[in-house]
Amino acid sequence: MTKSIEDVINEMLLQLKSFGVSESTLSQKEARYCGPILKFFSENGCSDYSPDLLEQYLNICRQKLAAEKISSKYFKAIEKNVRCIKSIAETGSAIFSRETNCKKFLPDDSTVSIIKNCLSTAGMQPDYQYKHECCLRKFFVYLEKNQILLTEVDNQTFIRYLIDVTAVENPGSLDYVIRSFSFLIPYLNAIYQLNITLDVASLKPKSKPKRIIDPYSQDEITRILNQIDTTTAIGRRDYALMLLAFNTGLRAKDIIRLRLVDVDWRNHSVAITQSKTAVKVWLPLEVPVMNAVAKYILYDRPEVECSEIFVTMVCPFRSFARTSSLDRIIEHYALKANVTKKDYRSFHSLRRSFASGMSQKQVPVATISQLLGHTSFAADRKYLSYNDTCMRECTADFTGIPVRFGTYSVSQKPSPELTISANFNGIQLKGGALA
């Protein structure tokens, strides 16, 4: 049965109301966006929902935008409402997000299916599968651009791609591309009966230099927190986010996935299975952190169906989709606090601040590793690098090692005019000789 356009619009407004949209916003939407649509349908002698007529209305608005009779902001709002009306009529639920394909490298559909089938057998997590999919999409676009048929792919094809494309355009992704090839080559050999004998395991790219990313200092974190307006709902949410990250060291991805049932309010702790390592961790929560989170949940968190604690504060209310939202939050307050923006520093740097702070207070490495949920001590090295005391303990002195040559050799007589004395890890150096 065909619905009337008026019924479809009323259904959209009801769903918006259930999402928490205020009455004033609904009234404005009805008057500014829905009213003109109803009038357009009436002028065209149609009362039933018609996607073709909606598209005509949208084209007229597009022409007005080109003639600068309406603003781009107003047109985008019209476009969004038309999209919602269509989704209500066709699926029964309002879809707010725009359907866009932001992928830069787009091979044909048959190739995309090859990539998906290849990676589906790898058994990796979705996030990592997406990264390998990006690498393979670019490789297949390279084949299409150079008119190389799939049956013509051989060892030299992969080597030329690594040298001419990856090493030039994306040297930092060389290890990912090689790893992607390790999945693709056996798949092509098995499915297309190719004879590719390249052993990608023997291709060892030069190790990338290890970046030392500065954590936020205690002073910087205090200045950032002081910039948050805790008299507003969004400010109290952001304040709870920051405190939770700095006092638990949780990754941004785990914070946006943290659910209401994960917090044990009686025992002042939080339990969560980490998304990266699948390791479950139990972390204590300090009273200020619990108070901030509880205040946000009780007074400011919108009533939504999702179970995640932290949600967006702009309608439609929903959980955070990406960690980049948290990066923008901390960058916003860091800018207001005049905290120097340093390369590669992000919301994840609060995790580094948590770990490096414990390291500086002489907390055992085993305890730090346990709280961070790491599966090996090797992952803790980047945090220990900020602790000068621990680093000095890792150095060796020259006790029992005779220094036979050079400035500090025992045969070198000290100059009488040099009386400077220094301490080098407990070794007294006087003049130019070892004491």
Side-chain angles (χ1 to χ4, degrees):
M1 181 178 177
T2 305
K3 291 184 178 180
S4 69
I5 183 64
E6 188 173 0
D7 288 341
V8 175
I9 288 176
N10 288 336
E11 177 63 26
M12 180 188 73
L13 295 174
L14 283 173
Q15 287 200 23
L16 289 173
K17 186 176 181 179
S18 69
F19 288 146
V21 178
S22 64
E23 290 290 345
S24 60
T25 302
L26 288 174
S27 299
Q28 184 185 40
K29 184 179 287 289
E30 187 175 8
R32 293 196 66 191
Y33 307 113
C34 301
I37 293 175
L38 289 172
K39 182 180 178 181
F40 180 78
F41 270 68
S42 177
E43 289 174 349
N44 285 271
C46 181
S47 60
D48 293 336
Y49 165 77
S50 169
D52 294 334
L53 207 54
L54 265 181
E55 194 61 36
Q56 287 181 32
Y57 175 75
L58 196 59
N59 286 333
I60 291 173
C61 294
R62 196 173 283 115
Q63 292 170 10
K64 289 181 179 179
L65 174 65
E68 298 184 352
K69 292 182 179 180
I70 60 174
S71 66
S72 60
K73 183 178 180 180
Y74 183 59
F75 175 75
K76 287 179 180 178
I78 294 173
E79 198 176 30
K80 182 177 181 180
N81 281 276
V82 168
R83 188 166 59 249
C84 284
I85 292 172
K86 286 184 177 180
S87 65
I88 285 286
E90 296 168 9
T91 67
S93 60
I95 298 175
F96 297 94
S97 59
R98 178 183 297 180
E99 292 185 3
T100 56
N101 193 340
C102 300
K103 294 176 180 177
K104 185 176 180 181
F105 301 100
L106 295 171
D108 59 51
D109 293 340
S110 61
T111 301
V112 171
S113 65
I114 292 174
I115 295 172
K116 291 188 178 298
N117 291 336
C118 169
L119 296 178
S120 64
T121 59
M124 65 183 72
Q125 295 183 13
D127 290 345
Y128 292 99
Q129 184 169 324
Y130 174 76
K131 293 181 180 179
H132 290 297
E133 182 185 331
C134 294
C135 296
L136 294 181
R137 281 205 315 269
K138 186 172 182 178
F139 173 70
F140 278 101
V141 168
Y142 165 82
L143 297 182
E144 292 177 7
K145 183 179 178 181
N146 290 275
Q147 299 181 345
I148 301 174
L149 299 176
L150 197 57
T151 54
E152 298 173 347
V153 174
D154 56 14
N155 293 344
Q156 289 302 313
T157 307
F158 289 99
I159 293 174
R160 283 198 304 271
Y161 178 80
L162 290 172
I163 295 174
D164 299 339
V165 180
T166 306
V168 175
E169 299 178 6
N170 306 101
S173 302
L174 197 57
D175 51 347
Y176 258 112
V177 176
I178 291 174
R179 179 69 172 160
S180 301
F181 286 170
S182 70
F183 301 128
L184 180 62
I185 290 174
Y187 179 83
L188 294 180
N189 286 338
I191 303 300
Y192 295 93
Q193 304 300 313
L194 301 183
N195 186 30
I196 304 171
T197 58
L198 179 65
D199 181 14
V200 291
S202 64
L203 302 176
K204 298 292 184 182
K206 181 182 178 182
S207 299
K208 294 181 290 186
K210 299 294 183 182
R211 288 194 295 259
I212 298 180
I213 303 173
D214 289 342
Y216 288 102
S217 66
Q218 181 66 58
D219 175 65
E220 289 175 329
I221 292 172
T222 302
R223 285 157 54 194
I224 290 172
L225 291 175
N226 288 339
Q227 291 299 318
I228 302 177
D229 184 4
T230 53
T231 62
T232 64
I234 193 168
R236 286 188 287 270
R237 181 204 65 183
D238 295 345
Y239 188 75
L241 270 170
M242 299 280 195
L243 279 185
L244 183 66
F246 179 59
N247 284 271
T248 62
L250 285 172
R251 296 181 181 89
K253 183 176 290 188
D254 294 327
I255 288 178
I256 65 176
R257 293 181 179 179
L258 189 67
R259 301 169 302 164
L260 295 166
V261 296
D262 293 330
V263 181
D264 186 344
W265 300 99
R266 293 182 181 274
N267 296 314
H268 294 197
S269 64
V270 60
I272 187 172
T273 301
Q274 296 183 116
S275 55
K276 182 177 181 179
T277 61
V279 173
K280 189 162 187 175
V281 291
W282 287 265
L283 301 170
L285 292 178
E286 296 182 5
V287 173
V289 182
M290 293 196 68
N291 287 340
V293 176
K295 191 173 183 179
Y296 156 71
I297 293 173
L298 293 174
Y299 303 111
D300 304 306
R301 184 179 182 273
E303 294 184 5
V304 289
E305 294 182 358
C306 66
S307 61
E308 286 80 9
I309 292 178
F310 297 104
V311 298
T312 61
M313 302 300 286
V314 178
C315 194
F317 306 116
R318 55 187 182 272
S319 59
F320 288 104
R322 299 177 181 85
T323 59
S324 57
S325 300
L326 305 193
D327 292 336
R328 287 192 292 270
I329 289 173
I330 194 169
E331 285 178 8
H332 168 70
Y333 293 114
L335 182 63
K336 292 179 66 175
N338 292 322
V339 172
T340 303
K341 181 173 176 59
K342 297 182 179 180
D343 291 341
Y344 306 107
R345 258 206 323 203
S346 62
F347 191 88
H348 188 76
S349 297
L350 291 176
R351 178 174 168 86
R352 296 178 181 276
S353 301
F354 168 78
S356 60
M358 288 193 297
S359 175
Q360 290 166 1
K361 291 179 181 179
Q362 309 301 306
V363 175
V365 177
T367 303
I368 297 175
S369 186
Q370 184 179 14
L371 290 173
L372 292 175
H374 287 161
T375 54
S376 68
F377 289 154
D380 302 302
R381 292 174 183 170
K382 53 191 174 186
Y383 302 115
L384 293 177
S385 63
Y386 294 100
N387 188 341
D388 292 339
T389 303
C390 287
M391 290 298 288
R392 280 196 292 270
E393 289 178 359
C394 293
T395 61
D397 59 23
F398 293 96
T399 303
I401 303 176
V403 181
R404 304 182 186 280
F405 307 98
T407 304
Y408 299 108
S409 65
V410 293
S411 60
Q412 183 75 22
K413 294 182 179 180
S415 303
E417 64 271 13
L418 291 180
T419 56
I420 299 175
S421 174
N423 184 282
F424 181 73
N425 288 342
I427 302 176
Q428 291 292 330
L429 305 179
K430 295 182 180 180
L434 281 171

Short mmCIF file of all heavy atoms in Angstrom, two decimals, residues 135-162:
data_model
loop_
_atom_site.label_atom_id
_atom_site.label_comp_id
_atom_site.label_asym_id
_atom_site.label_seq_id
_atom_site.Cartn_x
_atom_site.Cartn_y
_atom_site.Cartn_z
N CYS A 135 45.87 -1.95 0.82
CA CYS A 135 47.12 -2.26 0.09
C CYS A 135 46.83 -3.02 -1.20
O CYS A 135 47.40 -2.72 -2.25
CB CYS A 135 48.06 -3.07 0.98
SG CYS A 135 48.64 -2.21 2.45
N LEU A 136 45.94 -3.99 -1.12
CA LEU A 136 45.64 -4.81 -2.30
C LEU A 136 44.82 -4.04 -3.33
O LEU A 136 44.98 -4.26 -4.54
CB LEU A 136 44.92 -6.09 -1.88
CG LEU A 136 45.75 -7.07 -1.03
CD1 LEU A 136 44.95 -8.31 -0.70
CD2 LEU A 136 47.04 -7.45 -1.75
N ARG A 137 43.93 -3.17 -2.88
CA ARG A 137 43.17 -2.34 -3.84
C ARG A 137 44.13 -1.51 -4.69
O ARG A 137 43.98 -1.40 -5.91
CB ARG A 137 42.19 -1.43 -3.11
CG ARG A 137 40.92 -2.09 -2.65
CD ARG A 137 39.80 -1.07 -2.51
NE ARG A 137 40.21 0.15 -1.84
CZ ARG A 137 40.13 0.35 -0.54
NH1 ARG A 137 39.64 -0.59 0.25
NH2 ARG A 137 40.51 1.49 -0.01
N LYS A 138 45.12 -0.91 -4.03
CA LYS A 138 46.08 -0.09 -4.77
C LYS A 138 46.89 -0.94 -5.74
O LYS A 138 47.20 -0.50 -6.86
CB LYS A 138 47.01 0.64 -3.80
CG LYS A 138 47.94 1.62 -4.47
CD LYS A 138 48.72 2.47 -3.48
CE LYS A 138 49.60 3.48 -4.20
NZ LYS A 138 50.35 4.34 -3.25
N PHE A 139 47.25 -2.16 -5.35
CA PHE A 139 48.01 -3.04 -6.22
C PHE A 139 47.20 -3.40 -7.47
O PHE A 139 47.72 -3.37 -8.59
CB PHE A 139 48.41 -4.31 -5.47
CG PHE A 139 49.05 -5.36 -6.33
CD1 PHE A 139 50.32 -5.16 -6.86
CD2 PHE A 139 48.38 -6.55 -6.62
CE1 PHE A 139 50.93 -6.12 -7.67
CE2 PHE A 139 48.97 -7.51 -7.42
CZ PHE A 139 50.25 -7.29 -7.94
N PHE A 140 45.92 -3.72 -7.29
CA PHE A 140 45.09 -4.09 -8.44
C PHE A 140 44.80 -2.90 -9.34
O PHE A 140 44.66 -3.05 -10.55
CB PHE A 140 43.80 -4.76 -7.97
CG PHE A 140 43.97 -6.21 -7.64
CD1 PHE A 140 44.09 -6.64 -6.33
CD2 PHE A 140 44.01 -7.15 -8.66
CE1 PHE A 140 44.25 -7.98 -6.04
CE2 PHE A 140 44.18 -8.51 -8.37
CZ PHE A 140 44.31 -8.92 -7.06
N VAL A 141 44.70 -1.71 -8.77
CA VAL A 141 44.56 -0.50 -9.60
C VAL A 141 45.82 -0.30 -10.43
O VAL A 141 45.76 0.11 -11.59
CB VAL A 141 44.28 0.74 -8.71
CG1 VAL A 141 44.44 2.03 -9.51
CG2 VAL A 141 42.88 0.66 -8.12
N TYR A 142 46.98 -0.61 -9.84
CA TYR A 142 48.25 -0.55 -10.56
C TYR A 142 48.24 -1.52 -11.75
O TYR A 142 48.69 -1.19 -12.84
CB TYR A 142 49.39 -0.87 -9.60
CG TYR A 142 50.71 -1.20 -10.24
CD1 TYR A 142 51.58 -0.19 -10.66
CD2 TYR A 142 51.12 -2.53 -10.41
CE1 TYR A 142 52.80 -0.50 -11.24
CE2 TYR A 142 52.34 -2.84 -10.98
CZ TYR A 142 53.18 -1.82 -11.40
OH TYR A 142 54.39 -2.13 -11.98
N LEU A 143 47.71 -2.73 -11.54
CA LEU A 143 47.61 -3.70 -12.64
C LEU A 143 46.71 -3.18 -13.75
O LEU A 143 47.04 -3.29 -14.94
CB LEU A 143 47.08 -5.04 -12.12
CG LEU A 143 47.93 -5.79 -11.09
CD1 LEU A 143 47.27 -7.12 -10.73
CD2 LEU A 143 49.35 -6.03 -11.60
N GLU A 144 45.56 -2.61 -13.38
CA GLU A 144 44.63 -2.08 -14.38
C GLU A 144 45.24 -0.92 -15.15
O GLU A 144 45.11 -0.83 -16.37
CB GLU A 144 43.34 -1.63 -13.69
CG GLU A 144 42.52 -2.77 -13.11
CD GLU A 144 41.29 -2.27 -12.38
OE1 GLU A 144 41.01 -1.04 -12.44
OE2 GLU A 144 40.60 -3.09 -11.74
N LYS A 145 45.93 -0.05 -14.44
CA LYS A 145 46.54 1.12 -15.07
C LYS A 145 47.61 0.71 -16.08
O LYS A 145 47.76 1.35 -17.14
CB LYS A 145 47.13 2.03 -14.00
CG LYS A 145 47.72 3.32 -14.53
CD LYS A 145 48.27 4.18 -13.40
CE LYS A 145 48.90 5.46 -13.94
NZ LYS A 145 49.44 6.31 -12.84
N ASN A 146 48.35 -0.33 -15.76
CA ASN A 146 49.42 -0.79 -16.64
C ASN A 146 48.98 -1.92 -17.57
O ASN A 146 49.82 -2.54 -18.23
CB ASN A 146 50.62 -1.25 -15.80
CG ASN A 146 51.34 -0.09 -15.12
OD1 ASN A 146 52.19 0.55 -15.71
ND2 ASN A 146 50.96 0.18 -13.88
N GLN A 147 47.67 -2.18 -17.60
CA GLN A 147 47.08 -3.17 -18.49
C GLN A 147 47.74 -4.54 -18.34
O GLN A 147 48.07 -5.21 -19.32
CB GLN A 147 47.15 -2.69 -19.95
CG GLN A 147 46.38 -1.39 -20.19
CD GLN A 147 46.45 -0.94 -21.63
OE1 GLN A 147 47.27 -1.42 -22.42
NE2 GLN A 147 45.58 -0.01 -22.00
N ILE A 148 47.94 -4.93 -17.08
CA ILE A 148 48.51 -6.24 -16.78
C ILE A 148 47.36 -7.17 -16.39
O ILE A 148 46.65 -6.92 -15.42
CB ILE A 148 49.53 -6.15 -15.64
CG1 ILE A 148 50.67 -5.19 -16.00
CG2 ILE A 148 50.09 -7.54 -15.30
CD1 ILE A 148 51.65 -4.94 -14.87
N LEU A 149 47.17 -8.22 -17.18
CA LEU A 149 46.12 -9.18 -16.89
C LEU A 149 46.50 -10.02 -15.68
O LEU A 149 47.68 -10.21 -15.37
CB LEU A 149 45.87 -10.09 -18.10
CG LEU A 149 45.41 -9.40 -19.38
CD1 LEU A 149 45.31 -10.42 -20.51
CD2 LEU A 149 44.09 -8.68 -19.17
N LEU A 150 45.48 -10.52 -14.99
CA LEU A 150 45.74 -11.32 -13.79
C LEU A 150 46.54 -12.57 -14.13
O LEU A 150 47.38 -13.01 -13.34
CB LEU A 150 44.40 -11.70 -13.14
CG LEU A 150 44.46 -12.18 -11.70
CD1 LEU A 150 45.11 -11.13 -10.81
CD2 LEU A 150 43.06 -12.50 -11.20
N THR A 151 46.32 -13.12 -15.30
CA THR A 151 47.04 -14.33 -15.71
C THR A 151 48.50 -14.04 -16.07
O THR A 151 49.30 -14.96 -16.23
CB THR A 151 46.35 -14.98 -16.92
OG1 THR A 151 46.20 -13.99 -17.96
CG2 THR A 151 44.99 -15.52 -16.53
N GLU A 152 48.83 -12.75 -16.23
CA GLU A 152 50.20 -12.35 -16.59
C GLU A 152 51.04 -11.96 -15.37
O GLU A 152 52.23 -11.64 -15.51
CB GLU A 152 50.17 -11.17 -17.57
CG GLU A 152 49.47 -11.49 -18.89
CD GLU A 152 49.31 -10.27 -19.77
OE1 GLU A 152 49.51 -9.13 -19.27
OE2 GLU A 152 48.98 -10.43 -20.96
N VAL A 153 50.43 -11.96 -14.21
CA VAL A 153 51.15 -11.56 -12.99
C VAL A 153 52.21 -12.61 -12.65
O VAL A 153 51.92 -13.81 -12.63
CB VAL A 153 50.16 -11.39 -11.82
CG1 VAL A 153 50.92 -11.12 -10.52
CG2 VAL A 153 49.18 -10.27 -12.11
N ASP A 154 53.43 -12.14 -12.40
CA ASP A 154 54.52 -13.06 -12.03
C ASP A 154 55.37 -12.43 -10.93
O ASP A 154 55.00 -11.40 -10.35
CB ASP A 154 55.38 -13.39 -13.26
CG ASP A 154 55.94 -12.14 -13.93
OD1 ASP A 154 55.90 -11.04 -13.31
OD2 ASP A 154 56.42 -12.25 -15.08
N ASN A 155 56.51 -13.05 -10.65
CA ASN A 155 57.39 -12.55 -9.59
C ASN A 155 57.81 -11.11 -9.82
O ASN A 155 57.81 -10.28 -8.91
CB ASN A 155 58.63 -13.43 -9.47
CG ASN A 155 58.31 -14.83 -8.98
OD1 ASN A 155 57.23 -15.07 -8.45
ND2 ASN A 155 59.25 -15.75 -9.17
N GLN A 156 58.17 -10.81 -11.07
CA GLN A 156 58.65 -9.47 -11.39
C GLN A 156 57.57 -8.41 -11.22
O GLN A 156 57.86 -7.25 -10.92
CB GLN A 156 59.20 -9.44 -12.83
CG GLN A 156 60.51 -10.18 -13.01
CD GLN A 156 61.60 -9.63 -12.09
OE1 GLN A 156 61.79 -8.42 -12.00
NE2 GLN A 156 62.30 -10.53 -11.42
N THR A 157 56.32 -8.79 -11.40
CA THR A 157 55.22 -7.83 -11.21
C THR A 157 55.21 -7.32 -9.77
O THR A 157 55.10 -6.11 -9.52
CB THR A 157 53.87 -8.49 -11.53
OG1 THR A 157 53.92 -9.07 -12.83
CG2 THR A 157 52.75 -7.47 -11.47
N PHE A 158 55.33 -8.23 -8.83
CA PHE A 158 55.32 -7.84 -7.41
C PHE A 158 56.57 -7.03 -7.06
O PHE A 158 56.49 -6.03 -6.34
CB PHE A 158 55.23 -9.09 -6.53
CG PHE A 158 53.90 -9.77 -6.57
CD1 PHE A 158 53.69 -10.87 -7.38
CD2 PHE A 158 52.84 -9.29 -5.81
CE1 PHE A 158 52.45 -11.50 -7.42
CE2 PHE A 158 51.60 -9.91 -5.85
CZ PHE A 158 51.40 -11.01 -6.66
N ILE A 159 57.72 -7.46 -7.57
CA ILE A 159 58.97 -6.76 -7.25
C ILE A 159 58.97 -5.35 -7.82
O ILE A 159 59.37 -4.39 -7.15
CB ILE A 159 60.18 -7.58 -7.77
CG1 ILE A 159 60.29 -8.89 -7.00
CG2 ILE A 159 61.47 -6.77 -7.65
CD1 ILE A 159 61.35 -9.84 -7.53
N ARG A 160 58.51 -5.22 -9.09
CA ARG A 160 58.45 -3.89 -9.69
C ARG A 160 57.51 -2.97 -8.93
O ARG A 160 57.79 -1.78 -8.75
CB ARG A 160 58.01 -4.00 -11.15
CG ARG A 160 59.08 -4.48 -12.12
CD ARG A 160 58.71 -4.14 -13.55
NE ARG A 160 57.42 -4.69 -13.91
CZ ARG A 160 57.24 -5.92 -14.43
NH1 ARG A 160 58.29 -6.70 -14.63
NH2 ARG A 160 56.03 -6.35 -14.73
N TYR A 161 56.39 -3.53 -8.47
CA TYR A 161 55.43 -2.72 -7.72
C TYR A 161 56.06 -2.23 -6.40
O TYR A 161 55.90 -1.07 -6.02
CB TYR A 161 54.18 -3.53 -7.43
CG TYR A 161 53.15 -2.77 -6.61
CD1 TYR A 161 52.30 -1.84 -7.20
CD2 TYR A 161 53.04 -2.98 -5.23
CE1 TYR A 161 51.38 -1.14 -6.45
CE2 TYR A 161 52.12 -2.29 -4.47
CZ TYR A 161 51.29 -1.37 -5.10
OH TYR A 161 50.38 -0.67 -4.34
N LEU A 162 56.76 -3.13 -5.73
CA LEU A 162 57.38 -2.75 -4.45
C LEU A 162 58.43 -1.65 -4.65
O LEU A 162 58.52 -0.71 -3.85
CB LEU A 162 58.02 -3.97 -3.79
CG LEU A 162 57.05 -5.03 -3.25
CD1 LEU A 162 57.82 -6.27 -2.80
CD2 LEU A 162 56.23 -4.48 -2.10
#
